[in-house]
Amino acid sequence: MKSLGKILGLVILGLLLILVAAGFALTHLFDPNDYKDEIRDLARNNAGLELDIKGDIGWSLFPWLGLELHDTTLASAQTPGQPFADLRMLGLSVRVMPLLSREVQMSDITVNGLNLTLSRDEQGRGNWEGVGQPAGRREQAGEPPKAAEPQTEQREEASPARKPLTLDIDSLTVSDARVTYSDAKTGQQYSAESIELTTGAIREGSSIPVKLNAFFGSNQPVMRARTELQGALRFDNQLKRYQFEDMRLSGEASGEPLQGQTLTFSAQGQLLVDLAAQIAEWNSLKFTANQLRGLGELKARDLDKEPKISGAMTVAQFNLREFLQGTGQQLPAMADGNALNRAELVSRLSGTANSLALEELTLKLDDSTFTGRIAISDFARQALRVDLKGDRLNLDRYLPPPSKDEPAGAARKSEVKNTQAAAVGSGSTPLPNAPTQQAWSEASVLPLDQLRKLDSEVSLAIGSLTAMQLPLEGFNLKARARNGQLNLQELRGGLYGGRLDSSASLDVRQAQPLLTLQNRFNGVPIERLLESQGEEVVVKGLLNLDADLRTQGNSQKAWVDNLNGKVGFIIDNGVLVDANLEQQLCRAIATLNRKPLSSEPRSKDTPFRELKGNLTLRNGVASNPDLKASIPGLTVNGNGDVDLRVLGMDYRVGIVIEGDKGAMPDPACQVNERYVGIEWPLRCRGPLELGAKACRFDNDALGKVAARLAGEKLNEKIEEKLGDKVSPELKDALKGLFKR
């Protein structure tokens, strides 16, 4: 038996020696470089691949089946002259014996100097098309599939289940690799350069350390980013479950959108893709972008259909102004240089491949807090949907600061200032001249191209809003924009104890935008409106106004020049500031009495119960035929024009004594019965800023009043002289002579 054992041992040893000798002979006596042409033909005919091996082929047979390629290029057999890949060196080896049991045990895989260049031509054909197709299939490309495919499936179903392929690789190393993609039709180019990839042992079900470094770039827009990715990969092919544990991504980005600035970013968390359940998750998400810091989670479902995204996000308080400036975003000038200093956000997320919504949103911006929803319902159309409620917002902080006057505005202000200086006094100075200087800018106001593309629906409810220095309480706004038509469906709020209600529309589909506006004020103190706009208070009282206006153009001047419509107004329980109409009336009566005034005015203002009228606007000029003011003891009637182009007015005003013959401010203007019911004429002309201070006693019209009073006085004397001595018909005829 011992002899038999020795014999068997010697036989086995002999066989091993023969195998080793055969392997040595094959690897040393057989040179695969002699068969490069045959290898090219096999690759071309069976894989549709044009293989050009310029360097040497190294190989080993047992116990490792090894292969090493140098200076190799790859191209599609359809475009052999356009290689899509070249390789400096590829080295790999597979243990031979485990292959017999469908186990792939590989040592280190090394890839060096891979340059993968993918491109599409103007017809959309890729330079990699045809790879993987045998010659026969390439010749029949475009033909309908034959009935052989179901038979293959049947054979596969009928064949007994085989042991699944098991993968076992000691490591993978990719160095100095480069991947580029270009599209001739769109001109877009993308690249990944200086790719360095290293992994630990790759075994199913085990944690595989992974580290990747690369530089990414694009040309539309020009961008470049340095990235580093590391973590642990775990996969289970049977369960179709893939995990990336303790994933950490970091890097820096720069380029055109960042305007020369650098964005430092990072993200980390636990990634899971379960293809059996068609879900993906990113848990324990942490992300940064410069000074922005956030937490969250993301989930995706229906990966095989239309993926749907859900999750949550929290962004800690950060300086939004510094963040935007640090990412190259040019902020417009704002009235408050400290605006956008604080921002934070909490929200749930939902979306699809073409939409994203921030639900259950809480947004804090400076001193304001908003809750609600912000969404982009269609990325392609940039369709914005906003539904927010807020506690307070001072919008003026974020608007541009007051600009310096343009030449037209400066010239007009100078003209008004000179007019105001000449208008001082109690109506004794000459009548001011009508203004002539243009009051409005010709600069374009609306970004028409952006407005034409706008697709948005906005609903805002803010407890306290300040806009254009107007404090609006219980503010509500609803607006919609689509296809070049913008509609302000509702804008309302409390204003100084009164109400403001507005609606408007803007049509920007044509070169000259069309604007319509409906505006209503109810019980709003007009002096507070004037004060808020920095205007001098020339009238006080509660304003009730109803305006229906329309215009066109894209500048202040164009809007005023083309302004048409109607305005009705009533001012209750008011005061004409620094305008004593009683003193003006006194001056007129004293003139008729031929007596000089001997005292100063008792008051600078004129109170009234009601001031009302209607305006008809035609191309920037408002005609007012029915101005009426009710003053204790007096009625004021007026008609005239307001030229909004130069903010000037020209009115003829009549003051009627209603029978109150109480003490006048001066003995020289005592009222008698003959003055009751007579309309005493005033002329108001000058800048609107002067208000009633621009009114003067009308000497020309007063002459007619004097003539009328003289005729009435003569008629009284005729009555006294004639008495009952003549007939009534003759008396009337004589009186009529003096009334003409």
Side-chain angles (χ1 to χ4, degrees):
M1 293 295 295
K2 291 183 179 180
S3 299
L4 180 60
K6 288 182 179 181
I7 293 171
L8 289 176
L10 290 173
V11 170
I12 294 173
L13 179 59
L15 290 174
L16 289 174
L17 290 174
I18 292 172
L19 288 174
V20 171
F24 178 83
L26 283 173
T27 56
H28 286 76
L29 302 178
F30 174 77
D31 188 356
N33 292 285
D34 296 334
Y35 298 90
K36 287 183 179 180
D37 291 338
E38 287 80 356
I39 295 173
R40 291 192 194 100
D41 292 339
L42 287 172
R44 182 185 303 114
N45 296 328
N46 293 283
L49 189 66
E50 193 68 27
L51 179 64
D52 186 6
I53 306 173
K54 299 182 177 67
D56 292 335
I57 303 174
W59 75 300
S60 63
L61 181 63
F62 190 84
W64 295 90
L65 177 60
L67 178 67
E68 192 173 290
L69 297 179
H70 294 268
D71 296 333
T72 303
T73 63
L74 304 174
S76 170
Q78 296 180 2
T79 55
Q82 302 177 26
F84 63 82
D86 60 79
L87 181 67
R88 188 179 304 135
M89 191 275 288
L90 168 65
L92 59 87
S93 58
V94 182
R95 193 179 293 274
V96 176
M97 297 305 294
L99 289 176
L100 302 177
S101 57
R102 295 186 56 81
E103 291 184 15
V104 179
Q105 295 183 9
M106 304 181 70
S107 63
D108 300 336
I109 300 177
T110 303
V111 180
N112 178 258
L114 173 64
N115 187 2
L116 185 61
T117 305
L118 306 176
S119 64
R120 287 187 182 275
D121 59 22
E122 294 183 351
Q123 286 71 42
R125 292 190 299 266
N127 63 345
W128 63 90
E129 291 184 6
V131 173
Q133 296 181 4
R137 288 186 58 189
R138 292 199 306 274
E139 293 172 359
Q140 299 173 0
E143 294 183 6
K146 298 181 179 180
E149 293 182 359
Q151 295 174 2
T152 303
E153 293 177 2
Q154 291 174 6
R155 285 197 302 269
E156 290 179 354
E157 292 176 2
S159 62
R162 294 183 295 175
K163 180 180 178 181
L165 187 67
T166 301
L167 195 63
D168 187 341
I169 303 173
D170 287 346
S171 69
L172 170 64
T173 301
V174 178
S175 60
D176 195 19
R178 182 174 184 267
V179 179
T180 62
Y181 171 81
S182 62
D183 190 322
K185 188 174 183 179
T186 63
Q188 291 179 321
Q189 296 178 5
Y190 302 96
S191 66
E193 302 176 349
S194 301
I195 301 173
E196 302 286 338
L197 172 65
T198 60
T199 74
I202 302 175
R203 296 182 179 89
E204 188 170 352
S206 300
S207 181
I208 307 166
V210 175
K211 184 175 182 180
L212 170 68
N213 294 319
F215 287 89
F216 295 93
S218 67
N219 71 328
Q220 295 181 3
V222 176
M223 283 288 296
R224 188 163 178 81
R226 177 193 63 80
T227 60
E228 179 178 320
L229 175 67
Q230 56 184 345
L233 181 65
R234 187 188 299 270
F235 64 93
D236 188 323
N237 285 323
Q238 266 193 316
L239 297 177
K240 297 182 179 180
R241 186 179 177 89
Y242 308 92
Q243 294 173 269
F244 201 178
E245 302 169 339
D246 300 325
M247 186 277 292
R248 295 177 181 270
L249 172 70
S250 61
E252 295 178 345
S254 61
E256 287 181 344
L258 297 175
Q259 301 293 319
Q261 301 295 323
T262 299
L263 175 67
T264 302
F265 60 87
S266 69
Q268 63 185 71
Q270 311 294 326
L271 296 178
L272 166 67
V273 177
D274 189 333
L275 295 182
Q278 293 299 320
I279 62 172
E281 297 180 359
W282 189 346
N283 298 308
S284 303
L285 168 62
K286 296 181 180 180
F287 58 91
T288 68
N290 288 355
Q291 65 269 63
L292 184 148
R293 302 287 185 272
L295 304 172
E297 61 179 25
L298 290 175
K299 300 181 186 299
R301 65 184 189 278
D302 299 336
L303 299 180
D304 57 339
K305 302 173 184 176
E306 182 180 354
K308 297 178 179 60
I309 302 171
S310 62
M313 177 175 60
T314 299
V315 177
Q317 181 175 303
F318 69 107
N319 190 314
L320 180 57
R321 174 178 289 272
E322 291 182 359
F323 173 76
L324 293 174
Q325 291 173 342
T327 56
Q329 306 307 308
Q330 297 298 320
L331 294 176
M334 298 183 183
D336 185 353
N338 293 320
L340 303 180
N341 274 4
R342 300 193 311 276
E344 58 182 289
L345 179 146
V346 177
S347 177
R348 297 204 62 81
L349 304 175
S350 65
T352 65
N354 196 38
S355 67
L356 178 65
L358 303 182
E359 311 276 2
E360 302 177 26
L361 169 72
T362 298
L363 171 65
K364 293 184 178 181
L365 183 65
D366 295 326
D367 299 324
S368 305
T369 300
F370 298 92
T371 59
R373 180 178 187 268
I374 299 177
I376 300 177
S377 62
D378 189 322
F379 289 138
R381 300 200 326 264
Q382 299 182 1
L384 178 65
R385 304 293 181 259
V386 177
D387 186 357
L388 293 177
K389 294 182 179 179
D391 55 353
R392 59 184 178 272
L393 175 64
N394 185 350
L395 188 60
D396 290 340
R397 296 180 61 186
Y398 308 95
L399 296 178
S403 60
K404 296 180 180 179
D405 292 323
E406 295 185 2
R412 184 183 182 279
K413 280 200 171 185
S414 176
E415 182 183 40
V416 171
K417 185 176 181 180
N418 294 334
T419 304
Q420 286 176 322
V424 296
S426 303
S428 58
T429 57
L431 189 70
N433 294 322
T436 59
Q437 294 293 334
Q438 177 60 242
W440 307 102
S441 169
E442 296 186 67
S444 297
V445 177
L446 302 175
L448 298 182
D449 290 339
Q450 289 85 343
L451 292 177
R452 290 180 181 122
K453 301 174 185 176
L454 200 60
D455 183 340
S456 63
E457 294 180 11
V458 178
S459 177
L460 289 176
I462 302 176
S464 177
L465 171 72
T466 300
M468 299 178 65
Q469 306 300 321
L470 297 177
L472 296 168
E473 301 296 327
F475 173 80
N476 282 275
L477 177 145
K478 290 184 179 180
R480 180 175 181 177
R482 187 171 296 170
N483 300 325
Q485 292 181 292
L486 292 78
N487 294 299
L488 177 60
Q489 299 160 320
E490 175 185 273
L491 186 156
R492 56 187 173 85
L495 181 60
Y496 298 123
R499 294 289 302 171
L500 165 66
D501 290 276
S502 295
S503 60
S505 66
L506 176 65
D507 189 340
V508 295
R509 291 175 295 179
Q510 50 252 329
Q512 291 297 319
L514 299 178
L515 174 66
T516 62
L517 172 68
Q518 295 77 42
N519 208 6
R520 291 173 180 80
F521 289 96
N522 292 302
V524 178
I526 190 171
E527 66 273 18
R528 302 290 298 276
L529 289 177
L530 295 172
E531 289 171 348
S532 69
Q533 304 307 304
E535 301 290 344
E536 185 177 355
V537 176
V538 296
V539 61
K540 297 180 179 179
L542 297 178
L543 173 65
N544 297 283
L545 179 142
D546 194 341
D548 190 350
L549 305 171
R550 61 189 179 278
T551 188
Q552 63 180 10
N554 190 23
S555 69
Q556 293 178 349
K557 184 178 184 301
W559 290 338
V560 173
D561 289 348
N562 296 297
L563 188 60
N564 291 274
K566 293 184 178 181
V567 178
F569 66 90
I570 299 175
I571 303 176
D572 294 321
N573 302 319
V575 174
L576 297 175
V577 179
D578 287 340
N580 192 331
L581 295 186
E582 185 182 54
Q583 183 69 17
Q584 293 278 15
L585 176 62
C586 183
R587 185 178 299 281
I589 294 174
T591 300
L592 292 183
N593 290 339
R594 297 182 180 180
K595 295 179 181 180
L597 295 176
S598 59
S599 62
E600 292 296 323
R602 294 182 301 192
S603 173
K604 295 172 61 179
D605 304 330
T606 298
F608 58 84
R609 290 188 297 268
E610 184 181 75
L611 174 64
K612 64 180 181 179
N614 292 281
L615 299 171
T616 299
L617 291 100
R618 294 185 180 87
N619 299 325
V621 177
S623 299
N624 178 206
D626 58 354
L627 180 68
K628 185 177 289 290
S630 298
I631 299 172
L634 304 173
T635 296
V636 178
N637 300 311
N639 66 84
D641 295 331
V642 176
D643 190 340
L644 297 176
R645 299 169 299 182
V646 294
L647 291 179
M649 63 178 174
D650 190 351
Y651 270 83
R652 294 188 180 276
V653 179
I655 304 176
V656 180
I657 301 174
E658 296 178 336
D660 182 359
K661 296 179 289 183
M664 290 296 283
D666 194 284
C669 59
Q670 292 303 310
V671 177
N672 58 47
E673 293 181 355
R674 291 188 303 131
Y675 296 158
V676 175
I678 291 177
E679 189 172 85
W680 300 85
L682 267 72
R683 181 81 179 274
C684 300
R685 185 180 68 194
L688 282 176
E689 290 92 333
L690 295 181
K693 289 186 291 185
C695 297
R696 299 291 183 271
F697 153 56
D698 192 338
N699 291 311
D700 295 336
L702 188 61
K704 298 178 181 179
V705 173
R708 176 184 172 187
L709 291 174
E712 291 178 352
K713 187 172 183 180
L714 184 56
N715 287 335
E716 291 175 2
K717 291 183 177 181
I718 291 173
E719 184 73 31
E720 292 175 2
K721 294 292 184 180
L722 296 180
D724 297 329
K725 297 178 182 180
V726 297
S727 66
E729 291 79 4
L730 180 58
K731 289 181 183 180
D732 292 339
L734 291 172
K735 292 177 182 179
L737 291 173
F738 297 99
K739 291 182 178 179
R740 296 175 182 174

